[in-house]
Amino acid sequence: MTSLREKIAEASSKYPKPKELTFQYGTSGFRTKAVNLDSVVFRVGLLAALRSMRLGGQTIGVMITASHNPPEDNGIKLVDPMGDMLEVSWEAHATRFANAPSDSDLSEAYENLLQTLKIKPDSVSRVAIGRDTRDSGPYLLGALTHALDVLKSEYTDYGILTTPQLHYLVRCINTKGTRYEYGEASEKGYYEKLATAFKTAMRGRKSRGKVTVDCANGVGGPKLKELLAYIPKAAQGGVDIEVVNANVESPEMLNSQCGADFVKTQQRSPPSLHPSPLSRCASLDGDADRIVYFFNDSDGQFKLLDGDKIATLAASFIGDVAKLAGVASKLKIGVVQTAYANGASTNYITKSLGLQVVCTNTGVKHLHQAAKSFDVGVYFEANGHGTVIFSDSALNELATHDPQSPAQKAALETLVALTQLINQTVGDALSDLLLVEVILAYKSWGPHEWESTYTDLPNRLVRIEVPDRNRFKAVDAERKLESPPGAQKEIDALVGKYTDGRSFARASGTEDAVRVFAEAATRGEADDLAAKVAAVVMHYGQ
């Protein structure tokens, strides 16, 4: 009889690891050219089953996506039972599996982990699978299910999903029948939950004009269209949404001259859009877990409303409604940012809103964890990836608070609706879109009023490819380089030459690249500072 170890090695031989490549599980899992990914996907399948076994058969999510990367790339990441990112300690296991030199080394690594964690080989494992619209998805799905079949794991393929939808489904599956029940574990359940909460939060409010949503020619396009079937038009108390860049029939169009990453990095509207002055637009990324807003002012100048603007909008609104509901004194509201946050937004939150700001390393796992230290934790990366987390005590306070007036009752109902509208498992572009639309309707604001809350310092983000990203080690919430030696000293010297200058270099968590962020008092100074710091990175990266 063939042993499990032999079965794993035999199946793995169909997906040989490229000898010249080293893989690393980062903030967004594994991500690289799709042609080099099948061995990684097979091995992640083994790890997903092991993770489920270790947690008593709870369902683990596996998402095949490369988000905002080019169409020829793909990636894979794991989702833990409550819809969170994979526990950090397991990232090393993923990296070890992915880099096992041979099939026999892989099967040995599997058995060693099984023994180390004291997992019985015949334990039950359950996996939920989703993927985006990339044309490499079906083949990689085959490699994943092959691994799960070898281990006789139970799995459900949910087909094409946004990444946040899979996070939602995983949490729903694992909380069903408990006091933490999150919703119906289906796409329909997801749409109905968001729509019901949206309609409640919009009660008595009126949306101003339509919002045009650029879907990056990714999975967000068809999924937003499906959601709109549940959302009333503005005339019926909802919102008018125009969906554009939703071509998923041509995979090569994904993220091409469109999407949240394009808008954020290029600081301009997608060429396919021609928005009229003061009309609001939003851009999703390729797997719909990021969103940024933008508009052209009355002079035709482009204005970006990024994750910092969304965070300040959400934090100020939740704070205001909490006061109206009579619960503000019982809720500790805070905002979590990264080094990418605009300095002007940090000043606005602390000085104008009077809220606490915490700075963490880049990556949703760091922000999500830090947000849990608050009763209401708001976190958005500047790139538009973020959400709001309500603690158990906050939810209990909202559920048990006795309003003392009709106005308090209405405000309390709005707050409760927000806890349902917001996807608390992870950043969700569709959920965040509806959240922003609710807030703008409440305030009777257009994009100009929103943008006027504070003035961003001009900034520039530059990506530099390097042979080995691991040479660049950052400290102080990734705001300073510890290595290579001497690099930070040169960056500091450059920053000191610019008014309101700030810049840092950070290695990517998913690819051999370093991202340079720079901000200064003027656009020209920000661009110049970014270019000069990029040159420092290129010099030290050689």
Side-chain angles (χ1 to χ4, degrees):
M1 182 180 291
T2 307
S3 68
L4 178 59
R5 186 167 180 167
E6 290 170 328
K7 288 179 181 177
I8 291 173
E10 181 183 353
S12 175
S13 68
K14 294 178 170 58
Y15 313 101
K17 177 192 175 295
K19 287 185 172 58
E20 71 280 6
L21 296 180
T22 300
F23 302 102
Q24 183 174 332
Y25 196 100
T27 301
S28 302
F30 293 110
R31 216 177 269 181
T32 188
K33 301 298 180 190
V35 294
N36 295 322
L37 200 63
D38 58 352
S39 67
V40 173
V41 172
F42 176 85
R43 295 163 185 221
V44 168
L46 300 179
L47 192 72
L50 265 180
R51 181 72 177 149
S52 178
M53 293 179 200
R54 181 73 174 85
L55 297 176
Q58 291 187 81
T59 296
I60 296 298
V62 180
M63 186 71 195
I64 299 173
T65 181
S67 187
H68 58 279
N69 280 35
E72 62 271 18
D73 290 2
N74 216 324
I76 187 166
K77 65 177 183 178
L78 297 176
V79 180
D80 261 356
M82 287 299 284
D84 294 340
M85 295 294 186
L86 177 67
E87 183 183 305
V88 174
S89 64
W90 277 66
E91 293 182 4
H93 301 322
T95 299
R96 191 176 306 113
F97 274 31
N99 292 298
S102 68
D103 303 320
S104 60
D105 289 326
L106 172 63
S107 56
E108 182 180 353
Y110 177 88
E111 285 204 343
N112 287 342
L113 188 55
L114 203 68
Q115 294 169 8
T116 300
L117 299 177
K118 297 181 171 61
I119 300 171
K120 294 180 180 178
D122 57 351
S123 299
V124 173
S125 61
R126 299 180 178 92
V127 175
I129 306 167
R131 59 184 171 90
D132 69 12
T133 54
R134 293 166 192 269
D135 57 5
S136 57
Y139 171 68
L140 295 176
L141 173 66
L144 173 64
T145 57
H146 193 172
L148 297 174
D149 286 336
V150 168
L151 299 181
K152 298 181 179 177
S153 180
E154 299 174 20
Y155 61 86
T156 302
D157 175 16
Y158 286 93
I160 291 176
L161 295 173
T162 70
T163 294
Q165 284 180 322
L166 181 68
H167 283 257
Y168 165 87
L169 289 171
V170 169
R171 185 161 177 170
C172 289
I173 292 166
N174 289 306
T175 58
K176 185 176 182 179
T178 74
R179 69 187 183 93
Y180 299 107
E181 190 159 336
Y182 196 62
E184 179 189 319
S186 68
E187 275 195 79
K188 181 173 179 285
Y190 170 87
Y191 297 133
E192 288 180 340
K193 181 178 181 179
L194 294 190
T196 299
F198 176 75
K199 286 183 278 190
T200 300
M202 283 290 287
R203 196 176 294 156
R205 306 294 167 172
K206 186 173 176 59
S207 176
R208 290 172 54 182
K210 73 174 181 180
V211 56
T212 300
V213 183
D214 154 36
C215 296
N217 293 318
V219 65
K223 300 309 179 184
L224 177 54
K225 289 178 181 178
E226 289 173 17
L227 173 59
L228 292 182
Y230 298 82
I231 300 292
K233 300 286 189 182
Q236 286 76 48
V239 61
D240 292 332
I241 297 176
E242 180 185 6
V243 179
V244 299
N245 291 333
N247 178 8
V248 295
E249 303 303 319
S250 304
E252 71 277 4
M253 298 298 292
L254 176 65
N255 296 320
S256 177
Q257 298 284 294
C258 59
D261 196 59
F262 174 88
V263 171
K264 171 67 176 170
T265 57
Q266 299 297 314
Q267 301 276 316
R268 62 189 177 98
S269 169
S272 57
L273 268 66
H274 304 285
S276 57
L278 302 179
S279 64
R280 65 189 184 281
C281 303
S283 281
L284 319 183
D285 71 336
D287 64 339
D289 64 358
R290 297 185 190 180
I291 184 170
V292 296
Y293 271 70
F294 61 92
F295 71 103
N296 289 333
D297 66 15
S298 54
D299 295 325
Q301 184 177 352
F302 173 84
K303 298 287 184 178
L304 178 67
L305 298 160
D306 62 5
D308 295 338
K309 289 284 188 180
I310 297 172
T312 55
L313 184 73
S316 63
F317 179 66
I318 291 170
D320 289 345
V321 178
K323 289 175 185 174
L324 292 174
V327 296
S329 63
K330 300 176 182 178
L331 298 177
K332 182 183 178 184
I333 303 173
V335 180
V336 184
Q337 295 186 321
T338 72
Y340 287 107
N342 195 280
S345 73
T346 309
N347 288 335
Y348 176 74
I349 294 166
T350 55
K351 295 177 181 178
S352 297
L353 301 183
L355 298 176
Q356 183 180 348
V357 172
V358 172
C359 188
T360 71
N361 286 358
T362 302
V364 110
K365 61 188 177 185
H366 302 297
L367 287 106
H368 199 85
Q369 190 60 38
K372 290 180 179 179
S373 66
F374 297 102
D375 292 316
V376 182
V378 180
Y379 75 82
F380 276 85
E381 295 180 289
N383 62 25
H385 192 157
T387 189
V388 182
I389 300 175
F390 294 83
S391 69
D392 288 344
S393 62
L395 294 174
N396 184 62
E397 177 63 35
L398 298 182
T400 58
H401 181 71
D402 183 20
Q404 301 300 303
S405 68
Q408 278 198 4
K409 183 175 183 290
L412 188 64
E413 289 173 350
T414 299
L415 268 181
V416 171
L418 292 183
T419 68
Q420 298 295 307
L421 176 61
I422 295 165
N423 186 345
Q424 296 182 53
T425 65
V426 73
D428 183 338
L430 303 188
S431 166
D432 293 337
L433 170 69
L434 296 182
L435 173 64
V436 169
E437 291 303 313
V438 165
I439 300 173
L440 295 180
Y442 259 76
K443 292 178 175 290
S444 296
W445 278 4
H448 174 70
E449 290 85 357
W450 179 12
E451 194 266 341
S452 299
T453 51
Y454 65 87
T455 301
D456 271 329
L457 289 168
N459 61 81
R460 180 64 70 195
L461 183 63
V462 181
R463 177 181 174 275
I464 302 105
E465 292 188 3
V466 294
D468 181 9
R469 68 180 182 272
N470 293 311
R471 292 183 62 187
F472 292 83
K473 303 291 184 185
V475 294
D476 187 23
E478 301 177 322
R479 290 174 285 192
K480 299 285 184 182
L481 279 179
E482 185 177 54
S483 65
Q488 187 60 48
K489 186 176 180 180
E490 291 192 29
I491 293 172
D492 289 342
L494 289 169
V495 167
K497 297 177 182 179
Y498 296 84
T499 306
D500 293 331
R502 183 171 71 93
S503 183
F504 64 89
R506 170 190 169 267
S508 168
T510 56
E511 56 188 336
D512 279 324
V514 173
R515 289 182 172 83
V516 167
F517 175 89
E519 68 181 17
T522 66
R523 164 61 59 204
E525 287 181 300
D527 289 347
D528 192 48
L529 178 57
K532 288 181 177 176
V533 174
V536 171
V537 169
M538 284 188 278
H539 171 72
Y540 282 91
Q542 293 174 354

